[in-house]
Amino acid sequence: MLAAITNASLGDDVYNEDPTVSRLEALAAAMLGKEAAALMPSGTMANLVAMMSHCPRGAEVLVGDETDIYNYEAGGASVLGGLVLHPVKTQPDGRLALADLAQAIRDPNDEQCAPAGLICLENTHNRCGGVVLPLSYLAEVRRFATERGLPVHMDGARVFNAACALDVPVSRVTQYADSVQFCLSKGLSAPIGSMLVGSQAFIKSAKRLRKMLGGGMRQAGIIAAAGVVALEQMVGRLAEDHVHARRLAAGLQEMPGIQLDLSTVQTNIVIFRVTDERFSWQSFLSALKQRGVRMGELGYGRVRAVTHYGISESDVDATLSAVADVLRTGP
Ligand SMILES: *Cc1c(COP(=O)(O)O)cnc(C)c1O
């Protein structure tokens, strides 16, 4: 990636003149089976732009209560977009039940209510452990939304992990959404950036909003160059991360004092609970960090570990030894 950045052809992308950005946008659109794409500085901005582009101010965005949009994006849709985030209960497998979505859509003829403007799904679902939404469920949501005249946005920060786990081209997953954002960073290993994809008209409006929010970047080819490498070379190796996550989870699951549901370990995320009563999640993480292993907390005291390009099989085994040592030694 550093070599690609060094050798990138550059231009001013605010004038649509950066050839490397244009190449990345065309590549992303083609891979996801959409008409067009826009490079974004972050997934947060990509989601915000998508919500603002789909919905007029005053509309409601139906979004899972465990999603990144609802929990970790500083309420941007409301603060900057004039939108109401309407939280819908998230099922343990990352789905929003259609009955719950139906209940959340307010009567469009009731003047007291903010009308629904968009349904958002997260795939894979981070806080549910990186679980993959089934294609049959995506098809159901698509039908449900179309019947009600609502667009669907997929926060697909890790949508390539979903496609890898399902062993299908990513376009099979994204066909059910009007727009998708995915992160070039995270599992695809680029230093910066996300892509927003959708129809020609949607991306045209997204690019205006991106400029408005301060995300128009001049010689952004230095970012896009790494993004091209991410899409051309990093997608094919995600399966390795999934194997490593399974190995980590299988090892952890056998340890007394760790509670882990293997059925949620479908991609590159492992979520578990430390039930050994000598530990709080804070003292567990700090004892682990002293042994050179960093994990995080992801709500309700649960611990999250993520595998990626920088983590090898022997790193996984070293992690298992470190956890065993922490549990043996105590806080
Ligand atoms: C990381 C993440 C985002 C936001 O991406 P940033 O580039 O960190 O702003 C959005 N959605 C999900 C599910 C994520 O995991």
Side-chain angles (χ1 to χ4, degrees), residues 42-44 47 68 73 122 126 155 157-158 181 183 186 194:
S42 69
T44 300
N47 283 331
D68 199 90
E73 300 188 3
E122 186 173 308
N126 182 29
D155 178 0
R158 301 178 183 80
Q181 92 77 20
C183 293
K186 308 198 173 158
S194 275

Side-chain angles (χ1 to χ4, degrees), residues 5-308:
I5 290 166
T6 306
N7 295 317
S9 310
L10 303 175
D12 187 334
D13 187 53
V14 172
Y15 299 138
N16 283 313
E17 285 175 359
D18 187 297
T20 311
V21 172
S22 301
R23 187 173 153 218
L24 173 62
E25 289 177 345
L27 180 60
M31 287 175 83
L32 272 72
K34 301 291 180 203
E35 288 173 6
L39 171 64
M40 295 284 170
S42 69
T44 300
M45 192 188 286
N47 283 331
L48 175 59
V49 162
M51 290 184 276
M52 291 174 70
S53 188
H54 283 300
C55 302
R57 292 177 69 83
E60 285 201 340
V61 175
L62 275 50
V63 62
D65 60 357
E66 292 289 332
T67 55
D68 199 90
I69 289 175
Y70 191 62
N71 290 284
Y72 299 132
E73 300 188 3
S78 304
V79 180
L80 302 166
L83 299 167
V84 182
L85 290 177
H86 188 143
V88 176
K89 177 180 159 43
T90 306
Q91 301 299 318
D93 62 2
R95 288 177 311 115
L96 308 178
L98 294 188
D100 291 341
L101 282 171
Q103 193 120 65
I105 297 174
R106 301 180 195 276
D107 179 356
N109 296 315
D110 186 339
E111 294 132 7
Q112 299 182 93
C113 298
L118 177 67
I119 296 173
C120 291
L121 297 177
E122 186 173 308
N123 194 20
T124 65
H125 200 298
N126 182 29
R127 275 168 67 99
C128 293
V131 293
V132 181
L133 299 180
L135 294 177
S136 56
Y137 169 71
L138 296 178
E140 281 171 23
V141 173
R142 169 77 276 165
R143 201 174 323 115
F144 173 95
T146 304
E147 279 166 16
R148 288 157 182 81
L150 292 173
V152 176
H153 172 68
M154 184 182 289
D155 178 0
R158 301 178 183 80
V159 74
F160 283 94
N161 293 89
C164 172
L166 294 168
D167 198 20
V168 297
V170 72
S171 58
R172 283 280 302 282
V173 180
T174 56
Q175 65 177 317
Y176 301 107
D178 296 282
S179 60
V180 182
Q181 92 77 20
F182 70 90
C183 293
L184 296 164
S185 55
K186 308 198 173 158
L188 296 184
S189 312
I192 304 174
S194 275
M195 302 302 295
L196 182 60
V197 300
S199 72
Q200 214 57 268
F202 171 82
I203 292 299
K204 190 169 165 56
S205 118
K207 286 193 173 178
R208 185 189 308 281
L209 289 162
R210 180 183 67 177
K211 184 73 171 91
M212 185 193 295
L213 295 168
M217 299 180 288
R218 299 288 173 181
Q219 300 198 14
I222 58 165
I223 294 171
V228 170
V229 175
L231 287 181
E232 289 183 344
Q233 296 178 39
M234 305 306 285
V235 170
R237 57 155 305 286
L238 289 174
E240 251 175 71
D241 296 340
H242 298 185
V243 170
H244 291 158
R246 287 294 294 189
R247 185 181 181 91
L248 178 63
L252 287 171
Q253 199 212 17
E254 288 182 0
M255 295 183 192
I258 300 277
Q259 185 190 80
L260 187 153
D261 178 0
L262 262 186
S263 73
T264 66
V265 186
Q266 301 171 7
T267 57
N268 64 330
I269 295 176
V270 179
I271 286 187
F272 62 92
R273 213 176 262 289
V274 181
T275 51
D276 183 327
E277 284 181 358
R278 296 170 298 163
F279 291 94
S280 61
W281 63 263
Q282 289 93 337
S283 66
F284 175 80
L285 289 185
S286 116
L288 206 51
K289 195 171 171 191
Q290 280 166 23
R291 289 160 179 83
V293 179
R294 284 162 55 89
M295 295 185 188
E297 191 268 350
L298 206 74
Y300 317 110
R302 300 167 309 167
V303 175
R304 185 186 75 156
V306 179
T307 56
H308 53 78

